[in-house]
């Protein structure tokens, strides 16, 4: 992908009329009005033209509407950048050295779209053509086309390695034995979650003995320790890494080994106390409680985890993996439970943290008893990543403890976990999930849509496997705005593309998850429908700025909006290309907003 390809002169070829109108405008305001009228006209004519197919019409409508919004004064005011001024300057041949190839690339595709042009090939080898027959004959042709489509999906999915494959299982068993030998422990120890916790790997030297780290990884782990960032990996999770870095375990390593720029940025953010990105402090009405929605509250009795995810949005609160003092103490917990009792509008309590299942059985029982004792609570949800980071924690005893609070018709108890990649799915995870499911406890997954699970059909492969082992896909979260996690971030356009071109091809029960952007302080914004957000502008570096509407917008007249900067699409595509991805697979990304 060549940067110099995208330039002002290329832009002018995409829709010469726009630049001709902009060039003859007397002023910026004059141009805004002229272009708004032109774009409105373009959309109107397209909708009335009989020669446009539905896809062309949608392409023209979407791009014209997006551009109209971007040239408004309001968009300038909200985003702090004038896209209209940039167009005006380009039309008048005024030099704009601030505008990057990533900016030109995005605008170029947008302008092509207003002419009904731009790529439409979601899957290269599949062509669903119009069927002129009727009845059985039409159904047979359609069925053959659907066969082609699904064959393509199957081919893509089967290329994505899962942790249930025979070779992966053998490889990991071997790795487990090496870890046990290094740590001087037995298989029984391995299956004991207390042993796993006691042996969390925090020492960079020890980690290097167990897996080969790249120079950058070594430096990053050392820097994380030196900067006192929370860090720790369970021996079980280390066994999921390939001993030699081969790319297969990219998503596993990325989950726990911080990139070098992350450490620098976190340190900077720490100094500016800017780590509470989700504004949790502003949504906590009482100690240990967070509340963003009418019927639900989050309850955090235990503030650490056996293993720390690099991009954890709560890592500003977590001192270290299994840090002593992470347990809030029964006095505080009782006070929080009293607070919930005093708010009978709360019908669901999400017990999370940290990871509540890293507490002992007796403490978990005591807390669950107290929460279940609140007459107005009819659902308890436990948020835990232990099924993935330490599946031996889900003992038969623990599953029995949790399931005793299930009362059909009165109280549901469920577990939400966080499986990030098909390579994390192992026979141990299957056993853990099975223990819960056979006792009537549903298990849901929340996927964070990072770079490391964003290749074509990767997330689909995950959803498919999750269903097969008894986990329901629940949410797919778009990664968001902390600078330190830039290397994990994926443009919203890619997640929307994934939903429409990949997830949409799965059976309904496999694509049960909702793609969301978790708006700080306001809660989840559904990405499925464009009515929940607008594209405000494209910044000089090619990053789009979206304006998100709160879930309350149809309920309250006081709801606010939130603007957020995305990652430049061109930068993201370049990373995919460097990773060996075929760029034609992603060509339609520009047309998702
Ligand atoms: S398991 Fe959850 S709370 Fe714990 S570090 Fe990972 S993302 Fe954060």
């Amino acid at each position: 992908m060549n940067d110099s390809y995208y330039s002002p002169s290329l832009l002018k070829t995409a829709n010469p009329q726009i630049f001709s109108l902009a060039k003859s405008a007397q002023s910026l305001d004059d141009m805004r009005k002229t272009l708004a009228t032109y774009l409105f006209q373009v959309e109107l004519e397209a909708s009335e033209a009989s020669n446009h197919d539905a896809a062309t019409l949608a392409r023209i409508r979407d791009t014209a509407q997006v551009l109209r919004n971007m040239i408004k004064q309001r968009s300038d005011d909200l985003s702090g950048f004038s896209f209209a001024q940039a167009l005006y300057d380009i039309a008048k041949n005024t030099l704009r050295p601030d505008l990057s190839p990533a900016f030109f690339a995005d605008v170029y595709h947008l302008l092509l779209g207003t002419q009904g042009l731009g790529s439409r090939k979601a899957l290269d080898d599949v062509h669903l053509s119009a069927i002129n027959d009727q009845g059985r004959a039409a159904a047979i042709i359609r069925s053959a086309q659907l066969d082609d489509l699904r064959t393509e999906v199957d081919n893509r999915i089967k290329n994505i390695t899962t942790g249930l494959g025979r070779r992966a299982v053998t490889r990991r068993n071997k790795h487990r034995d090496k870890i046990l030998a290094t740590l001087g422990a037995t298989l029984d120890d391995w299956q004991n979650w207390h042993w796993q916790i006691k042996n969390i790997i925090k020492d960079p030297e020890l980690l290097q003995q167990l897996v080969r780290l790249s120079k950058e990884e070594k430096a990053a782990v050392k820097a994380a320790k030196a900067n006192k960032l929370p860090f720790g990996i369970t021996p079980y999770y280390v066994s999921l890494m390939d001993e030699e870095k081969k790319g297969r375990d990219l998503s596993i390593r990325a989950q726990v080994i911080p990139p070098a720029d992350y450490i620098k940025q976190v340190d900077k953010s720490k100094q500016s106390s800017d780590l509470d990105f989700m504004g949790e402090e502003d949504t906590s009405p009482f100690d240990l409680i967070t509340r963003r929605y009418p019927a639900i509250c989050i309850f955090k009795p235990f503030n650490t985890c056996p293993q720390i995810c690099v991009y954890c949005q709560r890592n500003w609160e977590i001192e270290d993996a299994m840090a002593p003092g992470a347990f809030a103490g029964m006095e505080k917990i009782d006070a929080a439970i009293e607070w919930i009792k005093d708010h009978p509008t709360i019908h669901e309590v999400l017990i999370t943290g940290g990871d509540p299942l890293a507490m002992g059985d007796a403490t978990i029982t005591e807390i669950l008893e107290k929460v279940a004792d609140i007459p107005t609570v009819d659902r308890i949800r436990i948020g835990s990543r232990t099924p993935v980071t330490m599946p031996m924690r889900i003992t038969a005893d623990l599953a029995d403890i949790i399931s005793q609070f299930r009362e059909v018709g009165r109280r549901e108890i469920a577990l939400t976990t966080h499986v990030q990649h098909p390579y994390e799915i192992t026979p141990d995870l299957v056993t853990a999930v099975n223990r819960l499911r056979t006792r009537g406890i549903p298990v849901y997954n929340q996927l964070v849509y990072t770079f490391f699970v964003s290749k074509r059909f990767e997330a689909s492969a995950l959803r498919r496997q999750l269903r097969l082992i008894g986990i329901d896909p629940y949410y797919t979260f778009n990664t968001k705005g902390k600078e330190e996690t830039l290397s994990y971030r994926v443009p919203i356009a890619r997640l929307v593309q994934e939903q429409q071109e990949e997830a949409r091809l799965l059976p309904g029960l496999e694509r049960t998850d909702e793609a969301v952007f978790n708006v700080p302080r306001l809660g989840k914004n559904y990405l499925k429908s464009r009515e929940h957000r607008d594209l405000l502008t494209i910044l000089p570096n090619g990053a789009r700025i979206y304006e998100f509407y709160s879930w309350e917008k149809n309920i309250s007249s006081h709801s606010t909006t939130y603007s957020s900067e995305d990652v430049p699409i061109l930068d993201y595509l370049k990373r995919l290309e460097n990773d060996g991805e075929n760029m034609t697979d992603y060509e339609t990304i520009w047309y998702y907003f």
Side-chain angles (χ1 to χ4, degrees):
M1 202 166 277
N2 190 349
D3 265 5
S4 59
Y5 177 70
Y6 295 110
S7 64
S9 46
L10 179 78
L11 219 55
K12 289 180 185 172
T13 64
N15 185 333
Q17 203 174 344
I18 284 198
F19 288 99
S20 154
L21 290 169
K23 193 172 182 185
S24 49
Q26 302 298 309
S27 65
L28 181 59
D29 271 351
D30 182 28
M31 186 201 76
R32 286 189 213 268
K33 284 186 201 124
T34 313
L35 288 191
T37 310
Y38 163 76
L39 290 165
F40 185 70
Q41 203 60 34
V42 162
E43 195 188 334
L44 193 69
E45 278 168 18
S47 66
E48 284 174 354
S50 53
N51 58 341
H52 285 326
D53 56 63
T56 307
L57 176 57
R59 172 67 51 85
I60 296 173
R61 179 202 63 199
D62 292 351
T63 48
Q65 284 179 0
V66 161
L67 265 173
R68 268 213 318 272
N69 197 50
M70 284 168 50
I71 55 174
K72 287 178 187 163
Q73 177 68 52
R74 179 177 183 273
S75 297
D76 294 5
D77 297 343
L78 280 173
S79 67
F81 172 71
S82 177
F83 176 77
Q85 181 73 55
L87 271 191
Y88 189 73
D89 290 342
I90 294 166
K92 305 262 182 193
N93 294 322
T94 307
L95 274 182
R96 286 292 302 258
D98 58 324
L99 304 178
S100 69
F103 171 88
F104 294 126
D106 206 349
V107 182
Y108 169 69
H109 290 95
L110 202 51
L111 294 179
L112 277 184
T114 59
Q115 313 251 54
L117 303 173
S119 177
R120 250 180 264 132
K121 281 192 289 179
L123 289 171
D124 224 20
D125 307 327
V126 181
H127 304 283
L128 297 183
S129 54
I131 301 168
N132 297 321
D133 297 79
Q134 290 193 329
R136 176 63 55 86
I140 290 171
I141 300 170
R142 173 81 176 149
S143 176
Q145 292 185 351
L146 295 174
D147 278 344
D148 285 352
L149 185 54
R150 184 60 207 197
T151 303
E152 173 74 9
V153 175
D154 283 338
N155 286 340
R156 302 287 189 116
I157 286 182
K158 79 170 178 242
N159 285 333
I160 297 160
T161 319
T162 92
L164 290 180
R166 197 172 38 83
R167 284 201 198 131
V169 173
T170 311
R171 197 163 49 237
R172 281 154 169 189
N173 283 347
K174 216 175 116 211
H175 196 191
R176 175 201 62 201
D177 292 345
K178 175 183 164 180
I179 297 169
L180 285 175
T182 311
L183 300 178
T186 64
L187 261 181
D188 281 347
D189 292 331
W190 186 263
Q191 286 306 337
N192 180 339
W193 69 275
H194 295 286
W195 180 89
Q196 291 280 341
I197 284 193
K198 237 183 248 148
N199 287 279
I200 292 170
I201 316 266
K202 296 182 178 181
D203 175 22
E205 304 299 329
L206 177 57
L207 183 61
Q208 276 178 68
Q209 283 178 43
L210 304 175
V211 284
R212 192 179 292 259
L213 298 178
S214 68
K215 229 167 75 197
E216 296 76 36
E217 286 173 331
K218 265 186 226 167
V221 173
K222 277 191 180 152
K225 288 304 292 172
N227 284 283
K228 296 200 168 55
L229 297 185
F231 175 78
I233 315 175
T234 62
Y236 164 82
Y237 202 80
V238 173
S239 79
L240 306 193
M241 294 178 193
D242 295 342
E243 286 182 63
E244 297 287 334
K245 192 174 175 178
K246 290 212 169 93
R248 212 170 19 208
D249 65 346
L250 211 60
S251 63
I252 306 270
R253 287 181 184 236
Q255 202 61 27
V256 283
I257 300 179
D261 60 329
Y262 170 86
I263 319 246
K264 269 191 229 139
Q265 286 297 343
V266 172
D267 206 41
K268 241 167 74 190
S269 306
K270 255 179 163 176
Q271 282 157 25
S272 62
S273 11
D274 197 22
L275 282 170
D276 179 14
F277 178 74
M278 280 304 292
E280 298 231 4
E281 281 188 344
D282 301 343
T283 47
S284 172
F286 198 82
D287 279 1
L288 312 186
I289 301 285
T290 299
R291 188 180 190 185
R292 294 193 198 104
Y293 307 106
I296 306 169
C297 77
I298 297 174
F299 173 33
K300 300 183 283 189
F302 190 69
N303 213 3
T304 190
C305 301
Q307 171 168 303
I308 306 296
C309 310
V310 172
Y311 51 76
C312 173
Q313 70 187 28
R314 301 218 171 96
N315 60 10
W316 60 282
E317 299 182 297
I318 294 176
E319 222 175 272
D320 205 359
M322 296 307 287
F327 178 57
M330 268 307 165
E331 210 175 300
K332 268 182 118 177
I333 287 171
D334 286 343
I337 287 170
E338 277 307 308
W339 184 91
I340 300 170
K341 240 184 229 165
D342 288 344
H343 293 80
T345 51
I346 289 175
H347 296 290
E348 176 168 331
V349 178
L350 166 58
I351 306 177
T352 179
D355 198 319
L357 295 190
M359 297 187 290
D361 288 358
T363 312
I364 292 172
T365 309
E366 189 177 350
I367 292 174
L368 286 178
E369 269 169 1
K370 287 177 175 173
V371 176
D373 204 35
I374 305 172
T376 43
V377 170
D378 41 42
R379 184 172 305 104
I380 301 173
R381 192 159 31 120
I382 299 171
S384 172
R385 197 160 143 72
T386 54
V388 185
T389 60
M390 196 175 63
M392 47 291 287
R393 172 62 187 110
I394 314 296
T395 57
D397 283 353
L398 180 67
D400 284 342
I401 289 170
I402 297 173
S403 68
Q404 75 190 27
F405 298 99
R406 175 176 174 258
E407 231 181 275
V408 179
R410 158 71 190 96
R411 188 187 319 102
E412 185 186 3
I413 184 150
L415 188 124
T416 32
T417 192
H418 172 186
V419 187
Q420 192 55 27
H421 195 275
Y423 206 38
E424 279 183 336
I425 299 178
T426 66
D428 293 304
L429 171 63
V430 174
T431 304
V433 173
N434 218 27
R435 281 192 176 137
L436 297 166
R437 289 291 300 239
T438 50
R439 287 164 175 83
I441 303 161
V443 183
Y444 298 95
N445 193 54
Q446 306 199 139
L447 167 67
V448 181
Y449 198 64
T450 67
F451 177 81
F452 306 99
V453 68
S454 73
K455 289 174 187 157
R456 268 285 196 217
F457 289 101
E458 236 173 345
S460 293
L462 174 67
R463 292 185 190 102
R464 184 167 159 63
Q465 280 296 332
L466 286 174
R467 284 297 307 191
L468 289 173
I469 68 162
I471 301 182
D472 294 343
Y474 177 41
Y475 279 123
T476 297
F477 286 98
N478 181 260
T479 49
K480 58 190 170 295
K482 296 198 287 184
E483 266 181 68
E484 59 271 20
T485 50
L486 207 56
S487 49
Y488 290 80
R489 293 191 60 199
V490 174
I492 284 171
R494 172 66 191 122
L495 178 48
V496 182
Q497 181 188 43
E498 191 277 330
Q499 291 283 298
Q500 297 197 23
E501 295 179 11
E502 293 147 64
R504 191 66 188 83
L505 305 181
L506 301 174
L509 284 182
E510 279 178 16
R511 56 178 160 83
T512 48
D513 50 346
E514 185 80 59
V516 291
F517 180 94
N518 213 356
V519 181
R521 297 181 188 89
L522 302 183
K524 294 176 191 71
N525 180 291
Y526 291 92
L527 292 174
K528 204 177 267 168
S529 164
R530 269 186 52 213
E531 75 190 48
H532 302 310
R533 68 186 178 281
D534 280 318
L535 178 54
L536 282 181
T537 200
I538 299 170
L539 293 178
N541 69 354
R544 293 176 174 184
I545 293 198
Y546 289 91
E547 180 180 23
F548 291 98
Y549 296 90
S550 157
W551 59 269
E552 299 159 55
K553 75 176 191 308
N554 298 333
I555 296 165
S556 157
S557 51
H558 302 293
S559 82
T560 48
T561 65
Y562 177 83
S563 300
S564 171
E565 186 176 328
D566 205 2
V567 276
I569 292 177
L570 188 69
D571 295 359
Y572 168 73
L573 292 179
K574 282 200 233 163
R575 287 188 70 197
L576 287 178
E577 194 177 32
N578 284 342
D579 263 11
E581 286 292 285
N582 181 354
M583 284 303 96
T584 54
D585 265 354
Y586 300 87
E587 271 177 355
T588 51
I589 188 172
W590 308 101
Y591 299 103
Y592 292 101
F593 305 107

